[in-house]
Amino acid sequence: MKRENFGTRVGILAAAAGSAIGLGNIWKFPYITGKNGGAAFILVYLACILLIGIPVMLSEFAVGRKNQVNAVESFKKISPKGKWHWSGYLAVSTAFIILSFYSIIAGWVFSYILRSATGSLKNIPADGFGEYFTNLTINPLEPALMTLLVLVITAIILFFGIKTGIEKFSKIVMPLLVLIIILLIFRSVTLPGAKAGLEFLFKPDFSQLSIHGVLEALGHSFYTLSLGMGIIITFGSYINKKENLVTLSYQVAIADTIIALMAGIVIFPAVFAYGLEPTAGPGLIFITLPAVFKAMPFGQFFEFMFFVLISIAALTSTVSLMETVVTFISEQFSLGRKKTISMVTLALFILAIPSILSFGPLSDIKILKGMNIFDSLDFITGQVFLPIGGILICVFVAWVWGVKNATKEISSEGLYKFKLKGLYSASVKYISPLAILIIFLYGLGVFNIFK
Ligand code: PHE
């Protein structure tokens, strides 16, 4: 059977940027920027994107496009004798596990969209959203239904294939995401007292920038570009040989960074205008922001748009995660695509159930370091599997496949000039694996002395 490819350049960009732009851009980046010295942190972050993010992304695109097969087979085809395909298995498993809990968070977002649309959030007192959110998560029925809804929507998009499914969907919703974010920026910066928020976000304060901040920038640059879990390898395998991978990687990284900054411009002026505390994670979008919207003129409308924005960001990410798993299973076991999608969706839902229950009935079950099931899965994938996957891809490209061969693929056999080849080579050989190793050890708590 002939394998499908992406149809247009804009489509590839929308899909890859869609994967990169996710909850990390909206609920994490703005906060860690503010906390670590604003513009000072942004500079470090940009350096990480340039020196590590883009080279690793290029490597993944190249590994995938070389043989146009799934993430496991891509390693095997390049190195038939070695055991490198195990890093493919690791990547696909990481994508599978991350999707099982990422879809729960996306499910909460869907709950808030409905509640915002029906106006039921309006009746909650400004200081009551903490309790409101806890009530939503401890009672498993609604989260389970919403998680299923997220998985089914993702599956439907995948049913239509690469070109008419993922590509078309991304081409429609990504511009919508940009429009909504622009609309929200206008609302936020025109609030009285918005300036303090912009200062929190952008004023360079080098005294706030610690080693911890630098490592946070590093780790985030990796996560936000969806690296280390086979997604970019899989997308690469659907890209035409004549596509310029270098330009594509720059564009994805630029789009991702711009949206992250825009998210900060939406969130902090509003949070500061109403005298609330900035936070990161679920607390920000499910507890702090509803209180902000409540106080704002036309708040319900902006709240609804905000949750639609997050749902788009989340869905384009779930699509990329599920595609990675589906491409692998359907090719490896010669199963039909639709059958695979149905099976994977069911399996994901089953795996999600213990995580959903870990906020309520199973909250006493602790797996790692006193963490519940949901947090343990998040920790093991984000802090362990992702960095290991990242190091493996660098070592594989630099020392097994060879930078020379990788560069051939990246430059489309010399069709395009690859000006920063030297820097790329230094990055995949030394800078990236070492830097990722350091964040890995740091994430495990090995350097707690620096805190
Ligand atoms: N890159 C996404 C973000 O910034 C996160 C993500 C991780 C997406 C894993 C897909 C897979 O939120």
Side-chain angles (χ1 to χ4, degrees):
M1 199 176 77
K2 197 180 168 315
R3 216 165 173 272
E4 218 191 338
N5 261 2
F6 281 109
T8 62
R9 157 112 262 256
V10 182
I12 306 169
L13 178 62
S19 173
I21 296 166
L23 295 167
N25 301 59
I26 297 168
W27 84 17
K28 188 150 183 220
F29 177 81
Y31 175 73
I32 51 176
T33 301
K35 197 184 60 166
N36 287 304
F41 176 84
I42 294 176
L43 287 179
V44 176
Y45 172 78
L46 290 178
C48 295
I49 291 274
L50 278 177
L51 287 176
I52 294 151
I54 293 176
V56 176
M57 179 176 268
L58 264 176
S59 306
E60 290 202 16
F61 270 137
V63 166
R65 190 176 69 171
K66 171 75 189 155
N67 294 300
Q68 317 259 303
V69 282
N70 64 73
V72 172
E73 207 60 24
S74 290
F75 285 97
K76 221 186 259 174
K77 279 251 158 80
I78 292 175
S79 162
K81 293 213 186 72
K83 293 251 176 287
W84 280 94
H85 55 284
W86 282 97
S87 40
Y89 288 125
L90 177 73
V92 175
S93 319
T94 309
F96 185 76
I97 301 172
I98 290 187
L99 182 51
S100 79
F101 63 81
Y102 202 87
S103 52
I104 301 174
I105 308 173
W108 298 335
V109 174
F110 274 73
S111 285
Y112 270 63
I113 292 183
L114 292 178
R115 287 157 186 234
S116 173
T118 58
S120 76
L121 290 178
K122 263 203 315 226
N123 307 326
I124 314 298
D127 60 358
F129 285 106
E131 202 187 323
Y132 184 78
F133 178 56
T134 310
N135 283 339
L136 169 74
T137 55
I138 56 176
N139 207 330
L141 186 63
E142 182 177 338
L145 285 175
M146 291 298 166
T147 304
L148 187 61
L149 179 68
V150 169
L151 291 172
V152 169
I153 296 177
T154 309
I156 292 174
I157 298 165
L158 259 64
F159 262 140
F160 285 93
I162 301 296
K163 225 185 276 178
T164 36
I166 301 184
E167 179 168 343
K168 209 167 185 184
F169 175 71
S170 312
K171 260 164 71 176
I172 297 170
V173 297
M174 291 312 283
L176 188 64
L177 176 138
V178 175
L179 281 180
I180 298 179
I181 213 164
I182 292 174
L183 170 86
L184 292 169
I185 285 181
F186 274 112
R187 170 67 286 187
S188 186
V189 297
T190 51
L191 291 168
K195 216 172 127 228
L198 290 175
E199 275 177 9
F200 174 75
L201 188 61
F202 288 119
K203 206 168 155 206
D205 181 354
F206 284 90
S207 71
Q208 289 295 315
L209 190 63
S210 58
I211 292 218
H212 173 78
V214 173
L215 292 175
E216 216 165 357
L218 246 168
H220 188 67
S221 64
F222 203 73
Y223 178 82
T224 191
L225 294 178
S226 301
L227 301 172
M229 59 194 113
I231 292 181
I232 303 296
I233 299 181
T234 308
F235 276 5
S237 78
Y238 291 114
I239 295 179
N240 184 301
K241 289 276 183 193
K242 298 238 150 49
E243 204 53 66
N244 188 340
L245 294 180
V246 181
T247 326
L248 178 65
S249 303
Y250 284 140
Q251 288 169 342
V252 174
I254 291 170
D256 185 75
T257 306
I258 290 179
I259 296 292
L261 291 170
M262 287 171 99
I265 302 176
V266 169
I267 292 167
F268 289 118
V271 168
F272 278 77
Y274 292 103
L276 291 165
E277 281 300 309
T279 60
L284 173 73
I285 57 179
F286 298 115
I287 299 170
T288 310
L289 290 178
V292 169
F293 287 120
K294 194 180 166 62
M296 173 188 286
F298 306 106
Q300 191 185 348
F301 169 71
F302 290 108
E303 177 178 74
F304 176 75
M305 293 313 275
F306 180 76
F307 284 111
V308 171
L309 167 85
I310 301 193
S311 72
I312 295 175
L315 277 178
T316 45
S317 297
T318 56
V319 159
S320 68
L321 286 162
M322 198 187 272
E323 183 58 52
T324 301
V325 180
V326 165
T327 300
F328 161 68
I329 295 185
S330 73
E331 286 182 4
Q332 208 71 359
F333 302 101
S334 306
L335 280 177
R337 185 174 163 90
K338 292 196 171 149
K339 199 167 166 192
T340 312
I341 296 170
S342 314
M343 279 170 27
V344 168
T345 305
L346 183 67
L348 282 163
F349 183 61
I350 294 172
L351 182 64
I353 291 173
S355 293
I356 294 171
L357 294 175
S358 71
F359 292 93
L362 300 185
S363 60
D364 288 337
I365 298 185
K366 307 286 181 209
I367 302 188
L368 291 174
K369 302 206 280 189
M371 289 186 268
N372 67 17
I373 302 170
F374 181 100
D375 292 336
S376 303
L377 289 180
D378 182 18
F379 179 85
I380 193 105
T381 48
Q383 308 286 335
V384 183
F385 292 178
L386 274 192
I388 293 181
I391 295 171
L392 289 176
I393 184 92
C394 293
V395 175
F396 177 75
V397 166
W399 309 104
V400 179
W401 190 19
V403 171
K404 214 164 136 207
N405 291 324
T407 327
K408 249 197 199 153
E409 184 60 48
I410 291 171
S411 65
S412 299
E413 308 278 333
L415 181 63
Y416 303 105
K417 268 219 157 69
F418 183 18
K419 289 195 209 101
L420 294 177
K421 199 160 115 188
L423 186 59
Y424 169 75
S425 167
S427 173
V428 282
K429 279 185 176 158
Y430 313 106
I431 306 173
S432 298
L434 272 178
I436 302 169
L437 181 68
I438 294 171
I439 6 171
F440 175 45
L441 297 175
Y442 182 76
L444 295 183
V446 175
F447 303 134
N448 272 345
I449 35 171
F450 289 121
K451 272 200 180 157

